[in-house]
Amino acid sequence: MSIDESTTHGRRASLERPIADLMREIGQAARAAAQRLSVAPTEFKNRALLAAAAALRAHRHRILAANERDLHEAAAGASPSAAGGAGVGAATGAVSGPLLDRLRLDEKRVLAMADSLEEIVRLADPIGTLLAEWTRPNGLVIQRRRVPLGVVGIIYESRPNVTADAGALCLKSSNAVILRGGSESMRSNLAIHECMEHGLEVAGLPKSCIQLVPTTDRAAVGFMLAEMTDSIDVIVPRGGRGLIERVKKEARVPVIGHLDGVCHVYVDRDADPEMAKRIVLNAKMRRTGVCGAAETLLVDRGAVAQLAPLVATLLDAGCEVRGDEATRQTDARVKPATEQDWYTEYLDAIIAVRVVDGVDAAIAHIEHYGSRHTDSIVTANAATAERFLDRVDSAIVLHNASTQFADGGEFGMGAEIGISTDKFHARGPVGVEQLTSYKYVVRGSGQTRS
């Protein structure tokens, strides 16, 4: 199993056709695959995922070589001109450090992808689950059953792991998926996608269950958003604010996702100082480019003695701190925070710090400036914790834990397609169950309505 000359030639040849023709063909294939998947036995889906996981492990060095080429070109400000091609497109500007981190794969990350697929295998198959059943006075028996959404379109930047995670989650939930990755990760995505295709072949399922759009032409994105309403049932964007704003503006099908991840950690007056330092440092610095990274630290005025050690811990770890006046007085290295800082998702080693008057002031700050993504309180006071957890209206709220746990894998979902801040359909990590809907099955014995 490798990207040989014939495979690469075939993909290049497909790009010679107009984008509209290419995308219509992909959409039609996905719709047909969705119908096949809707009745596919669980063991077929699991067999495909296990074979794909084995392929990821067996071909990890080829995946890493492809990723190395993507990283080199992204750092230089160029991107591939076509799927699997050796040519380089027009310069697009060097990719920033946090985005390079999202793009970068190493052996540990590739093996983690394989592990995630195997964890998804162990999850219960949600399709066909009986959610409710009741009998009406007229004898009608009504059931509510879980069913797939149909065809999911996923548009994402960097993050080659999305190719495996999204493909696996959609397959397990019996959805066909159309993946459109960023140009900066095209080689990595192709190498991973081929492993997913191998799994489908082993299980006897159509390759069109998991399709990767084989072009970096931005017109393909526009076509997915506006011209494939007969093929795509829902769009999930994964990327920066520009991409997500475009998707939400142009999509003519429902969208699941979030715009910003302005996540907060609030250190209460009853917080354990050492616990607070560990959580704050991890929430900000473990991986600064993920949507669950803390962007604002709020410290209770009653815990002001903890402020200087917290700030010093962040600064010494290489994090830029932008603070209010009380925070600036603790360390000369702190830069003044502006009003815009409280709204900002840095996705970098930068954090805004503010002193607030207790838990209610922290809740008010989060309500005003937050993005309803993920927020955490550090406190030993159970009543204060419950007040925070009840009143902060975010998709994920935590007590005495890092915001970096905002991840489907950490929730036991195997992986996630993204974090949703919507209140309709799905909220929080989008995993197997969140990629389903339901239908009503009604059984009668000849009843008619008067």
Side-chain angles (χ1 to χ4, degrees), residues 115-124 169 172 396 404-416 419 429-434:
D115 291 343
S116 292
L117 265 59
E118 291 175 344
E119 188 170 350
I120 292 168
V121 168
R122 292 189 288 271
L123 296 176
L169 290 169
K172 185 65 182 253
I396 304 170
Q404 299 251 348
F405 283 107
D407 175 86
E410 294 296 328
F411 277 40
M413 297 177 176
E416 68 175 38
I419 303 289
V430 178
V432 169
E433 287 191 6
Q434 291 72 34

Side-chain angles (χ1 to χ4, degrees), residues 91-138:
T92 57
V95 174
S96 66
L99 291 179
L100 280 177
D101 178 63
R102 293 183 178 191
L103 173 58
R104 181 175 289 106
L105 293 175
D106 55 26
E107 188 161 351
K108 182 179 179 181
R109 290 184 180 180
V110 176
L111 294 177
M113 277 190 262
D115 291 343
S116 292
L117 265 59
E118 291 175 344
E119 188 170 350
I120 292 168
V121 168
R122 292 189 288 271
L123 296 176
D125 189 339
I127 303 305
T129 302
L130 184 61
L131 299 174
E133 182 177 21
W134 63 97
T135 302
R136 296 292 295 147
N138 61 6

Side-chain angles (χ1 to χ4, degrees), residues 234-254:
V234 65
I235 291 278
V236 181
R238 289 286 301 271
R241 185 182 183 92
L243 168 67
I244 296 171
E245 283 182 333
R246 180 189 178 189
V247 169
K248 291 199 170 189
K249 179 180 179 181
E250 297 182 19
R252 295 177 60 193
V253 296

Side-chain angles (χ1 to χ4, degrees), residues 357-368:
D357 293 315
V359 66
D360 287 339
I363 294 167
H365 177 102
I366 293 168
E367 175 69 22
H368 184 77

